[in-house]
Amino acid sequence: MATGAMAQERPAKELFGGMQLPSKQRTEPLGFYAKGCLAGGIAIPSDGPAWQVIHPSRNRRWGTPDMIALVQRLAREAKASDGWNGLLIGDISQPRGGPMLTGHASHQIGLDADIWLTPMPDRKLTYQEREVVPEASVLKSSMMSVDNRKWTKSHQRLIIRAASYPQVERVFVHPAIKKKLCDTVTGADRSVLNKIRPIYGHHYHFHIRMKCPAGSSGCEDQADPPIDSGCGKEVADWLDKVKPRPVVKPTKPVKVVKPRQMMLRALPNACAVVLKAPSVENMAVAEYRPGGEPITDTQVPVTAFAAEQPSNASLVTASDDFSLFVPALGSVPFPAVRPSM
């Protein structure tokens, strides 16, 4: 692992993306959701009574104990009450958080989690199968409205349940899903619509963001969402942003701007300490198992199951949250304004 001046010269995503085990520290989210790291990461077990973790080779099943407990609670309650056989759990965070080699801008402090909109099958998937779970959109091909042949009341109940937890700050969904919820959610459930925020992508999964846990002095909370439901002009504006438009061939050569890399010095100072800290002995000792649940898998390899895409798989080629619908990355708005320090 690079340290000192060498670490400062390498992009932070390379430093944190290369860590396979969490630090042997007290668990603490450090910094902001899109600019921070995670000390003492805790893993959700790869299999549970109501969930299965997908994409094991990414090694992104780590978070704070509060985040892992919330994901498990959501899975159990969705199975008991919302018509789900179980949930497929996508990315949470890397073992020590931080920027990722591919994909998300956020998920850096162990307080974000992706939940697939595809129900968990009634069998245990192999690790090879988990690598190629199709990104099955619930939208029509126009990407402007929900496909009612794919969308169910169970989807609605699951997202509303996630938003109803008081420790959840936001739930991110595609604008067309937000519009569907605005049109169909009734009664007391409408009180959580303000937490459900539209953003690019998120049409085959949704994204839960937790508030900073009480007592986490190094964690930087996002500003509270607006009180308004967001079912008027806001969702209309977002639908306009994702509306397909004709491809215009440029008349002049387009200058490709190389994206600026986030370096370790841009993160909280404590993140350098997290990188240098010793690792836990193995993955099993850092799994979240309340009540002394037995450990069945002593260690899940993190690179052994990167299966090739089968020829008959129908996969969306996007690799991150913002999917196929992003204009130039510099013009993509962040879900909300970062609070001032």
Side-chain angles (χ1 to χ4, degrees):
M1 178 181 64
T3 59
M6 289 180 61
Q8 292 289 348
E9 294 171 1
R10 293 176 60 192
K13 66 181 183 180
E14 294 182 8
L15 300 172
F16 285 93
M19 305 303 296
Q20 294 191 359
L21 291 170
S23 61
K24 199 170 185 178
Q25 296 173 290
R26 180 176 63 86
T27 302
E28 186 176 9
L30 298 164
F32 190 63
Y33 302 90
K35 199 173 186 179
C37 61
L38 173 64
I42 302 297
I44 186 170
S46 295
D47 296 282
W51 71 84
Q52 294 183 43
V53 174
I54 60 175
H55 302 143
S57 68
R58 294 183 183 180
N59 196 23
R60 296 175 182 177
R61 61 189 180 106
W62 303 86
T64 67
D66 293 318
M67 182 80 253
I68 302 306
L70 182 134
V71 170
Q72 293 188 6
R73 176 185 174 186
L74 177 64
R76 288 187 170 101
E77 292 182 354
K79 182 173 183 177
S81 304
D82 298 333
W84 289 78
N85 183 58
L87 301 182
L88 295 177
I89 309 303
D91 292 351
I92 303 176
S93 189
Q94 298 177 135
R96 304 192 190 200
M100 296 182 178
L101 288 169
T102 60
H104 316 279
S106 59
H107 289 257
Q108 294 192 25
I109 59 174
L111 295 175
D112 296 281
D114 288 342
I115 309 298
W116 242 236
L117 291 169
T118 302
M120 187 185 83
D122 58 1
R123 64 180 180 85
K124 183 176 178 178
L125 295 171
T126 67
Y127 288 115
Q128 289 84 352
E129 289 174 319
R130 296 178 195 218
E131 294 292 346
V132 292
V133 173
E135 295 170 351
S137 175
V138 296
L139 305 185
K140 292 182 179 179
S141 58
S142 68
M143 307 303 291
M144 293 295 291
S145 60
V146 163
D147 188 336
N148 289 322
R149 297 171 300 176
K150 302 173 183 176
W151 179 263
T152 68
K153 282 290 186 182
S154 292
H155 289 100
Q156 176 176 306
R157 287 192 291 267
L158 176 64
I159 294 173
I160 293 296
R161 180 179 296 281
S164 73
Y165 297 143
Q167 61 268 53
V168 169
E169 179 68 46
R170 281 166 169 76
V171 173
F172 296 118
V173 299
H174 189 277
I177 295 177
K178 170 74 174 188
K179 180 64 166 61
K180 180 69 172 180
L181 295 172
C182 287
D183 292 345
T184 57
V185 172
T186 59
D189 287 345
R190 293 191 68 83
S191 66
V192 301
L193 286 177
N194 69 311
K195 286 188 181 182
I196 302 172
R197 313 304 299 171
I199 188 64
Y200 294 99
H202 296 79
H203 54 97
Y204 58 89
H205 73 277
F206 66 97
H207 176 153
I208 300 171
R209 173 166 293 171
M210 285 188 67
K211 298 177 182 179
C212 290
S216 298
S217 59
C219 182
E220 185 181 344
D221 250 325
Q222 189 168 358
D224 290 338
I227 299 175
D228 180 76
S229 68
C231 289
K233 185 177 183 298
E234 182 184 16
V235 73
D237 288 348
W238 266 104
L239 284 169
D240 184 65
K241 290 176 185 178
V242 300
K243 182 179 180 180
R245 290 172 170 80
V247 177
V248 178
K249 188 174 181 180
T251 56
K252 298 179 181 179
V254 178
K255 183 179 179 180
V256 178
V257 179
K258 189 175 181 180
R260 193 185 299 178
Q261 302 281 7
M262 186 181 292
M263 308 303 285
L264 180 60
R265 60 180 173 269
L267 303 181
N269 292 337
C271 290
V273 178
V274 171
L275 276 176
K276 296 176 183 178
S279 301
V280 299
E281 290 76 10
N282 55 58
M283 290 187 179
V285 300
E287 285 193 348
Y288 181 80
R289 296 180 184 274
E293 295 177 7
I295 295 175
T296 56
D297 296 327
T298 56
Q299 188 163 347
V300 178
V302 296
T303 58
F305 303 113
E308 296 181 2
Q309 177 180 329
S311 59
N312 62 349
S314 176
L315 301 181
V316 177
T317 58
S319 63
D320 61 22
D321 278 349
F322 302 129
S323 197
L324 304 173
F325 321 107
V326 187
L329 284 176
S331 68
V332 174
F334 198 73
V337 176
R338 178 176 175 171
S340 60
M341 294 296 289

